[in-house]
Each structure stands twice: as C-alpha cells, then as structure tokens.
Amino acid sequence: EPEVTQTPSHQVTQMGQEVILRCVPISNHLYFYWYRQILGQKVEFLVSFYNNEISEKSEIFDDQFSVERPDGSNFTLKIRSTKLEDSAMYFCASSDGGRAITDTQYFGPGTRLTVL
Amino acid sequence: AQSVTQPDIHITVSEGASLELRCNYSYGATPYLFWYVQSPGQGLQLLLKYFSGDTLVQGIKGFEAEFKRSQSSFNLRKPSVHWSDAAEYFCAVGAGTGTASKLTFGTGTRLQVTL
C-alpha cells in the first residue's frame, strides 16, 4: 500500500539554524500539507499546497517557514532560523484531490524536531 | 472558526469490553468529520470519515462512529476492544477554502487496554 514517507525521523538542531524537513507524498496525490504537534498538545495545521503554490496557511506559518516541491516527488518544509518553540513533531500529509475538502489526508510518520 | 473537543484525555478499558470515545465539534457549515488513530512511533491512520449520507459510519478495525447533528457529536465506538487498539485517537473536522482542506484536530484520547 502506498504511503507517505518523511526524513529524517529525528532532527536535532541549534537555535537559529536552518532546517529542512523532507516528505515524499503518495505518488498520484495533488494536495500536500504540513501539520505539527508540540509535545502534549494537539495536532495543528500549518500549510496546504496545491499546483505549486500555497492554498492556505495558518498564523503559525510565518515568514520563518517556507514550503517547496523541488521535483516531482519531494515536498519540503524549511524553517529559516529555528526557535526553541519550534520543537515539535512535524507531520506531512497528502491527498489525491478528487473532491478536495472531503478527501482523505494520508499522514507520514512524522519528523521529531528538537531545537536546543 | 471550527474546533473539536475530546473531553476524555485518557481512557482505560479491559480487553473485550466495549468502547466509546467522545468527540464534539463546532463548525458553522456542514462538517466533514474524521477519526484518526496514532500508534507509538507511527503516523496518523484514518479510521473513518463522515461527510454526508448515513449518520452511522463504519471504519476499519471494527470501529464505527455516529454523527449526531443535534448534539454536535461524532463519537467513536467499538463493541469489543482488542489489546492492539491501545493508541491515541484523534477526532478532526475538515474545512477549506474550496480547494485544499485543512483538518482541525482535538487534543486526542489515549486508550489503554488491560488484559
């Protein structure tokens, strides 16, 4: 069964450093998402991406964040200058886009980001 | 803005017992509702979803959920719990601007199963 994959599984970085989290969505999917879950808190929407542009972003997704689909398979989340409060589990998801709002989003296993 | 409340943070049931996990939502339009399960070290797996039609929805692993508009609820049920059901369960409501959707999650309910 096709699945969303994410690398690395765990990333440790120093405050102020740039990090890139990588995701490979399911191959025929058209919509891509990033969510995050701070330890002990709920999963929060960050951004959705379709047709090579951002569809919607939350207030969390400020200028420090960016997303990119650099090739036909990868979807990345970049944090330019990490802060302690960026420590969280980051989930990538994708959906096939047939009916957009009601589509199932398939989630990857997550990348745990630790900012020291 | 939409929101989801899962009143129970932690539930413990015996294997073979029935299970009901509560979920209440707030959303101005027709809600699209989802239940996801997260096992340790795993991503979020969809159990079931509701967006129209029959208010009793069947999902994978023997789970079902009932949409009750009058109570703004979408509770998850299973008649007989197995030890492998121990995990964290998230209710979510979907909304969007017409193209992509975004999910708003509840805080989750951690299910412990005793043998």
Side-chain angles (χ1 to χ4, degrees):
Chain A
E1 184 177 329
E3 58 183 20
V4 177
T5 59
Q6 292 184 242
T7 55
S9 57
H10 192 187
Q11 173 93 47
V12 181
T13 189
Q14 296 292 324
M15 190 169 54
Q17 295 296 303
E18 174 183 286
V19 294
I20 297 176
L21 309 183
R22 290 183 167 78
C23 168
V24 178
I26 295 173
S27 63
N28 62 339
H29 284 188
L30 301 176
Y31 292 82
F32 314 110
Y33 309 84
W34 284 102
Y35 292 80
R36 79 173 185 189
Q37 183 182 29
I38 295 172
L39 188 64
Q41 299 185 24
K42 64 175 68 177
V43 177
E44 302 171 288
F45 169 81
L46 291 179
V47 65
S48 58
F49 190 86
Y50 170 71
N51 200 25
N52 281 318
E53 60 183 28
I54 290 174
S55 293
E56 189 172 356
K57 59 184 180 180
S58 71
E59 57 273 13
I60 302 168
F61 194 89
D62 60 22
D63 292 343
Q64 292 299 314
F65 291 89
S66 63
V67 289
E68 190 178 30
R69 189 154 164 83
D71 53 43
S73 59
N74 290 282
F75 180 53
T76 62
L77 174 70
K78 182 193 292 186
I79 309 175
R80 285 190 186 81
S81 178
T82 51
K83 303 188 280 286
L84 295 176
E85 54 264 38
D86 293 328
S87 294
M89 180 74 89
Y90 288 80
F91 292 105
C92 173
S94 69
S95 64
D96 63 16
R99 286 170 295 183
I101 290 177
T102 60
D103 288 341
T104 295
Q105 293 185 27
Y106 293 87
F107 284 78
T111 292
R112 180 163 297 285
L113 176 65
T114 302
V115 182
L116 303 176
Chain B
Q2 62 273 17
S3 67
V4 175
T5 302
Q6 293 181 248
D8 304 305
I9 297 172
H10 189 192
I11 282 183
T12 300
V13 300
S14 300
E15 189 175 37
S18 64
L19 172 70
E20 182 168 26
L21 303 182
R22 296 183 289 166
C23 171
N24 292 97
Y25 68 90
S26 173
Y27 186 55
T30 301
Y32 304 107
L33 296 161
F34 304 79
W35 274 100
Y36 282 85
V37 61
Q38 183 183 26
S39 298
Q42 303 293 313
L44 297 161
Q45 180 184 23
L46 180 74
L47 286 175
L48 46 78
K49 66 180 182 182
Y50 169 82
F51 52 92
S52 68
D54 193 344
T55 56
L56 185 62
V57 180
Q58 302 297 321
I60 63 171
K61 305 185 181 185
F63 285 92
E64 67 178 26
E66 186 170 14
F67 170 61
K68 293 185 178 179
R69 185 185 297 274
S70 61
Q71 298 177 19
S72 298
S73 70
F74 189 56
N75 294 348
L76 182 71
R77 300 193 295 246
K78 186 169 185 178
S80 177
V81 168
H82 188 262
W83 63 266
S84 60
D85 293 324
E88 186 136 24
Y89 292 80
F90 293 93
C91 182
V93 61
T97 58
T99 53
S101 171
K102 70 177 184 183
L103 297 176
T104 298
F105 286 86
T107 49
T109 297
R110 181 164 296 280
L111 173 65
Q112 184 175 357
V113 180
T114 58
L115 300 176

